[in-house]
Amino acid sequence: MTPSFKTRRRNGLLSALPLLLPAYAWLTLAIFLPLSAMVYFSLLSDIAPNAPSPSLTIENYATFFSDPLYATLLWRSLVLGLIVTLACLVIGFPAAYVLAKILKGRAREAIFLLVILPFWSNSLVRVFSWSMVLREGGILDTALNAVLPFEVTFDLIYSYPAVVIGLVHSYLPYMVLTCYLTLQAIDDALIEAARSLGASRLSALRRIVLPLAMPGMLAGSALIFIPVVGSFMEPRILGGRNGTLFGTVIEDQFTAVYNWPLGAALSFILLAVVLVILLAAAPVLRRTA
Amino acid sequence: MMRSSSLLSGLGRVYIGLVLVFLYLPLVIMAAMSFNASPFYQLPFEGTTSWYAALASNEGLIASTLNSLQIAVLTTLIATTLGTAASLALFRSDFRGKRALQALLFPPIAIPWLISGTAMLIFFFGTGIGRGLHAILLGHVALALPYVIIVVSARLQTFPRELEDAAASLGASRWQTTRKVTLPAIAPGIVAGALFAFAVSFDQFVVSYFLATPGQTTLPVEIYAAIRKGFTPEINAVSTIVILFSMGLMLIVSRFFRFAGDR
């Protein structure tokens, strides 16, 4: 990199525009305008979408605050997001560490591929496959009863733990991937230097590896937390009646109850909460980046 | 020290093995159950291929599979083209507000799909765009765009800017430079971005679910409907095929591109 090349003036916005415009136009049509429409819709009174002269109201937001059920469900969804994210972190980080720092060559490549391969398989199908594992008379139940001398009833299907297991299974590859990418970028010489200066394995991990891997852990956490708080398909398939969450209530408004304005208001509240959490995490992200 | 580190690496291997068992156990069981005669997954296991045979006459599943493939291919083409163009423009330019403009690319990832999906439903319904395959395609491209831009931009980071200057100083036009110098150099990034786009679309359930209509639906939406109805042995069969297809595709591609990033 000779400095003389860097003096070349880069293009301004105007010449970049033709190449940028298609992508932004598409996002406007499919994301920004729909979000604006949703905000408007959330302020409409509950009538059929095509009815003439709908009136503006904040009634839908008032519904959220007057019925404690909604806040309870929102809280439940946030807690679920936290549990799943932490579980993915605890399971995924060591796996990424083994991949990046212990395995070498072909073994690393093959196992890395195996870990991220499920990302390319259908998530719905993967969630559904757990229902065959967790049900009474399913594989785990049969296997446990064949091995254990006493009778056990193993029936996790339609329970909260089943939802957590299915979600962790779905999102674990994201965490392994993002942690692996940051861990791989850490120079082994740094760790060796710390070790040769007398740092124990644990303190080298705590004071060098963990801080340097923080961006990957945070990126993975965001990639997992955001979809999980809005999940509704996994709780429906694996949680049954115990899987009622904020996401399933929103889905109901659009597909069963047909109260779109209330659904829009609830969606917007969820969006606001997610954005607040992301903004709160932003300074931490910036400090570690 | 030597001994403790080999012990540690042994433990590490065992741990990775356990993680892989966790990731693949349910898939293996589902594949096994697709060959089990009992429609209620009763054991003992009794082999049959009748569920696969039943698939061949299930017109709804076949039609929705074709829809899914068609939308995934179109999404890949459109999102990769638009995304690569935008990445190039952002790479080559510098202007006030560039970071803010870049941040605007991320909402499709930063917003739960449930919210994007319901917002699209409201907007498309209200403006007369309507629901159906065209609406699903509109949504999928928007969801896939940020992935393409992230992957292609990452690749561009390693591309030496001077090469474009050199080509230009030798008299190549901007388009010639792009086509003969830049695009070949970042081709692995473009292919990886295209793969992400395909995966995002082919796997996408949430947004499709809100935009599908009874006649115009995708495979995940059709599978979800069947699961909710409760009859699923054929679903096991089609799921097994879908998983083998997408994983096989990835395996083939990975033979050409190293994903582990060993340098």
Side-chain angles (χ1 to χ4, degrees):
Chain A
M1 274 267 217
T2 32
S4 61
F5 280 116
K6 297 196 93 178
T7 58
R8 175 179 170 268
R9 205 175 59 82
R10 288 165 74 183
N11 304 303
L13 174 62
L14 218 59
S15 63
L17 221 46
L19 287 180
L20 282 178
L21 218 52
Y24 281 94
W26 200 291
L27 287 182
T28 304
L29 184 63
I31 298 283
F32 300 125
L33 287 176
L35 284 178
S36 320
M38 193 179 75
V39 175
Y40 171 69
F41 233 82
S42 71
L43 294 168
L44 294 183
S45 51
D46 175 22
I47 42 171
N50 275 345
S53 65
S55 59
L56 288 178
T57 171
I58 56 159
E59 183 190 318
N60 298 308
Y61 291 94
T63 306
F64 173 83
F65 289 105
S66 62
D67 190 342
L69 175 71
Y70 294 109
T72 310
L73 287 175
L74 178 58
W75 180 245
R76 236 170 97 94
S77 286
L78 292 174
V79 170
L80 180 71
L82 207 63
I83 292 175
V84 171
T85 307
L86 281 178
C88 286
L89 195 59
V90 169
I91 299 172
F93 182 81
Y97 186 83
V98 173
L99 268 173
K101 295 296 172 205
I102 294 181
L103 295 174
K104 298 267 181 295
R106 290 190 71 104
R108 172 201 281 190
E109 220 171 299
I111 292 179
F112 179 77
L113 195 66
L114 278 177
V115 171
I116 62 162
L117 212 47
F119 177 70
W120 273 271
S121 69
N122 200 290
S123 60
L124 175 73
V125 167
R126 281 187 287 145
V127 168
F128 171 60
S129 66
W130 275 103
S131 68
M132 264 166 278
V133 178
L134 297 175
R135 76 176 67 221
E136 191 181 358
I139 298 300
L140 275 182
D141 188 32
T142 311
L144 281 176
N145 277 313
V147 174
L148 295 174
F150 48 88
E151 185 106 346
V152 289
T153 319
F154 183 90
D155 184 17
L156 268 185
I157 191 73
Y158 305 137
S159 71
Y160 194 75
V163 178
V164 173
I165 291 173
L167 284 167
V168 169
H169 183 252
S170 292
Y171 290 103
L172 185 61
Y174 287 90
M175 187 61 86
V176 178
L177 182 64
T178 56
C179 286
Y180 173 82
L181 291 176
T182 49
L183 280 172
Q184 201 219 6
I186 299 174
D187 194 343
D188 285 346
L190 263 178
I191 303 167
E192 278 158 33
R195 297 278 287 140
S196 72
L197 289 170
S200 72
R201 212 178 277 281
L202 201 66
S203 67
L205 181 73
R206 194 166 56 84
R207 306 203 30 196
I208 296 185
V209 178
L210 281 182
L212 285 172
M214 195 57 87
M217 288 155 71
L218 285 172
S221 300
L223 281 178
I224 294 169
F225 183 80
I226 293 168
V228 170
V229 292
S231 63
F232 68 91
M233 169 268 279
E234 297 90 343
R236 284 238 195 269
I237 294 177
L238 294 175
R241 277 158 35 110
N242 292 312
T244 305
L245 289 163
F246 204 60
T248 60
V249 170
I250 294 178
E251 184 217 349
D252 274 341
Q253 304 309 317
F254 286 95
T255 60
V257 188
Y258 295 108
N259 188 345
W260 286 17
L262 178 61
L266 296 179
S267 289
F268 192 64
I269 289 169
L270 178 61
L271 179 60
V273 171
V274 168
L275 285 183
V276 165
I277 291 173
L278 281 184
L279 283 179
V284 189
L285 267 166
R286 214 169 296 132
R287 210 178 312 138
T288 51
Chain B
M1 177 172 166
M2 201 53 222
R3 188 174 301 156
S4 89
S5 82
S6 74
L7 176 72
L8 212 63
S9 80
L11 276 177
R13 276 157 217 265
V14 171
Y15 180 73
I16 281 277
L18 288 176
V19 169
L20 288 179
V21 168
F22 171 67
L23 285 176
Y24 284 90
L25 176 79
L27 299 183
V28 170
I29 286 169
M30 186 177 62
M33 285 300 162
S34 70
F35 290 103
N36 190 359
S38 160
F40 306 107
Y41 322 124
Q42 301 287 349
L43 298 172
F45 188 86
E46 206 180 315
T48 176
T49 54
S50 60
W51 305 123
Y52 287 87
L55 268 189
S57 56
N58 191 328
E59 277 166 27
L61 273 182
I62 291 173
S64 60
T65 306
L66 292 178
N67 287 343
S68 273
L69 281 172
Q70 200 182 343
I71 288 182
V73 168
L74 285 174
T75 298
T76 306
L77 291 176
I78 299 172
T80 309
T81 309
L82 298 190
T84 305
S87 308
L88 274 175
L90 288 169
F91 172 71
R92 284 174 180 162
S93 59
D94 205 7
F95 49 84
R96 211 183 256 273
K98 181 178 163 188
R99 298 194 120 221
L101 203 60
Q102 275 175 308
L104 278 180
L105 290 168
F106 290 95
I109 297 182
I111 295 174
W113 284 337
L114 169 67
I115 296 175
S116 311
T118 52
M120 286 178 200
L121 170 61
I122 290 173
F123 180 70
F124 293 168
F125 189 89
T127 53
I129 293 173
R131 295 193 276 176
L133 294 179
H134 62 291
I136 294 176
L137 180 67
L138 262 174
H140 283 198
V141 171
L143 296 186
L145 259 178
Y147 289 94
V148 175
I149 293 176
I150 289 172
V151 174
V152 173
S153 297
R155 180 75 198 186
L156 276 168
Q157 295 289 318
T158 66
F159 175 75
R161 229 175 263 284
E162 303 85 69
L163 281 183
E164 287 200 336
D165 298 340
S169 71
L170 291 170
S173 72
R174 164 132 292 193
W175 169 238
Q176 280 174 319
T177 309
T178 304
R179 198 166 54 90
K180 298 222 160 139
V181 178
T182 319
L183 287 183
I186 62 167
I190 297 175
V191 172
L195 274 176
F196 268 100
F198 187 90
V200 167
S201 170
F202 194 63
D203 188 26
Q204 177 53 238
F205 162 71
V206 178
V207 165
S208 313
Y209 174 64
F210 288 108
L211 299 178
T213 56
Q216 304 197 331
T217 181
T218 64
L219 184 59
V221 180
E222 193 78 10
I223 291 177
Y224 184 68
I227 293 173
R228 295 301 301 276
K229 265 183 243 152
F231 183 75
T232 53
E234 284 171 60
I235 296 300
N236 289 348
V238 74
S239 302
T240 305
I241 294 174
V242 165
I243 284 190
L244 286 179
F245 165 75
S246 32
M247 288 191 172
L249 196 70
M250 273 304 292
L251 276 177
I252 293 168
V253 174
S254 69
R255 287 194 66 84
F256 298 99
F257 296 94
R258 286 162 167 259
F259 285 100
D262 287 35
R263 263 159 293 174

